Amino acid sequence: MAVVHEFVELVEVHVPMFDKFGYIWYMIDYGPQSDTLYAIVLKDSGEVWQLPHKDFRISKNMSYGISV
């Protein structure tokens, strides 16, 4: 059984493989035997990519005081 979580507050991320910034839209957790996937919307093109956590980095989230 998969768990889907839509983010209420957008979390800005940097996607090094495209050298672009985007936002996490939602995440899908398929369970302990697979990676959690995140739907990332790229800012400049609107493309949506599903990526595991190792493929992006949080760039800033002021609600948690994170600024990278």
Side-chain angles (χ1 to χ4, degrees):
M1 180 167 125
V3 175
V4 178
H5 173 74
E6 183 175 0
F7 284 69
V8 175
E9 290 197 31
L10 296 176
V11 177
E12 187 175 319
V13 295
H14 179 251
V15 184
M17 65 192 288
F18 301 121
D19 194 25
K20 296 186 179 185
F21 288 89
Y23 297 101
I24 299 175
W25 180 12
Y26 62 86
M27 61 169 262
I28 304 172
D29 186 357
Y30 290 105
Q33 295 182 348
S34 25
D35 282 342
T36 299
L37 294 178
Y38 295 81
I40 307 292
V41 180
L42 298 179
K43 281 176 143 181
D44 63 345
S45 64
E47 291 178 79
V48 178
W49 288 84
Q50 287 189 342
L51 302 170
H53 67 276
K54 65 182 179 66
D55 290 341
F56 64 88
R57 298 289 177 260
I58 292 176
S59 58
K60 65 181 173 180
N61 183 345
M62 300 319 289
S63 64
Y64 291 110
I66 297 171
S67 182
V68 179

